[in-house]
Amino acid sequence: DQQVKQNSPSLSVQEGRISILNCDYTNSMFDYFLWYKKYPAEGPTFLISISSIKDKNEDGRFTVFLNKSAKHLSLHIVPSQPGDSAVYFCAASEEGSQGNLIFGKGTKLSVKP
Amino acid sequence: SQTIHQWPATLVQPVGSPLSLECTVEGTSNPNLYWYRQAAGRGLQLLFYSVGIGQISSEVPQNLSASRPQDRQFILSSKKLLLSDSGFYLCAWQSGPNSPLHFGNGTRLTVT
């Protein structure tokens, strides 16, 4: 039973345009959400996070939106650059847990020049 | 600054052989430590986590075990590897709940 779902395995975007990566979750106890970026043969790199008391968090070109009623979050990258091409993982942790993260299966983003 | 070291980067082992993967963290004290596995075409699966020396929690039943002999050292082991143990193993540290995990560069394990 997947608690964190990334339904799009891949996404292709033109350089300079917006990339929107989506993530859905089923566990209403999740209260902390993160996005990671991963290149092949490397560990995931933390990008941005959001707690459940917010609905938006912005860091440079990256913005995460959280819709608690829909149990949905998204990552917007504007403008997209070829170096953004990687696999993006959505993750969540549950209130009261030790902080261990539950990950989605990832979305491979390709930004074309 | 904090750094995490994980080795080896790649490993090829025969079925039935033992396994020991080591992870160490520098620049922080009493971190939460994690072992995750990424199997081909799948997401990151939590295997073990530890909130302190000698404290290990397992998330899934499996052929693997973990130990934390020192505050900043986390070891993943197996007595006899199975083909299904092949995958990309990632160690991570965290300063506490509601904070990001920071991952090492991973170990690519191939069991033949």
Side-chain angles (χ1 to χ4, degrees):
Chain A
D1 179 31
Q2 269 189 275
Q3 298 187 69
V4 178
K5 300 177 184 178
Q6 293 177 257
N7 292 319
S8 298
S10 62
L11 175 67
S12 183
V13 172
Q14 206 66 31
E15 181 179 7
R17 307 295 290 269
I18 184 171
S19 295
I20 300 177
L21 297 131
N22 293 303
C23 178
D24 297 295
Y25 61 95
T26 57
N27 187 343
S28 59
M29 297 299 290
F30 285 150
D31 67 343
Y32 182 59
F33 304 88
L34 309 89
W35 284 95
Y36 282 82
K37 175 182 181 180
K38 184 181 181 301
Y39 293 117
E42 293 185 9
T45 302
F46 168 69
L47 273 177
I48 193 168
S49 64
I50 189 168
S51 73
S52 59
I53 62 173
K54 293 186 173 182
D55 56 16
K56 177 183 175 181
N57 189 24
E58 191 172 354
D59 183 1
R61 296 186 297 115
F62 302 92
T63 303
V64 56
F65 295 92
L66 176 62
N67 182 333
K68 289 185 289 293
S69 60
K71 294 191 179 67
H72 177 83
L73 69 156
S74 61
L75 175 69
H76 292 208
I77 306 174
V78 183
S80 302
Q81 300 172 353
D84 295 329
S85 298
V87 177
Y88 289 78
F89 289 96
C90 168
S93 68
E94 183 177 327
E95 180 181 359
S97 73
Q98 292 296 332
N100 45 298
L101 300 180
I102 308 298
F103 283 83
K105 290 188 176 181
T107 297
K108 184 175 182 180
L109 173 65
S110 299
V111 180
K112 304 192 173 187
Chain B
S1 64
Q2 301 89 357
T3 56
I4 180 168
H5 303 280
Q6 191 181 339
W7 67 93
T10 59
L11 189 60
V12 180
Q13 292 281 102
V15 167
S17 63
L19 173 73
S20 180
L21 301 180
E22 190 163 343
C23 172
T24 59
V25 181
E26 296 176 0
T28 186
S29 296
N30 196 31
N32 292 343
L33 296 174
Y34 298 84
W35 281 109
Y36 279 83
R37 176 172 61 199
Q38 184 182 18
R42 303 186 67 178
L44 295 165
Q45 180 187 35
L46 177 64
L47 301 176
F48 300 96
Y49 68 92
S50 171
V51 298
I53 296 174
Q55 301 179 59
I56 308 294
S57 297
S58 174
E59 287 295 299
V60 293
Q62 57 210 320
N63 184 41
L64 303 166
S65 62
S67 61
R68 186 170 177 174
Q70 300 180 43
D71 181 44
R72 288 168 288 178
Q73 183 184 29
F74 206 24
I75 297 172
L76 183 69
S77 304
S78 174
K79 292 182 179 178
K80 289 185 178 181
L81 284 169
L82 306 172
L83 286 173
S84 58
D85 291 324
S86 293
F88 191 51
Y89 288 83
L90 289 154
C91 180
W93 73 271
Q94 182 192 41
S95 59
N98 284 5
S99 64
L101 269 66
H102 302 280
F103 286 86
N105 278 331
T107 295
R108 171 71 60 191
L109 172 65
T110 303
V111 182
T112 61

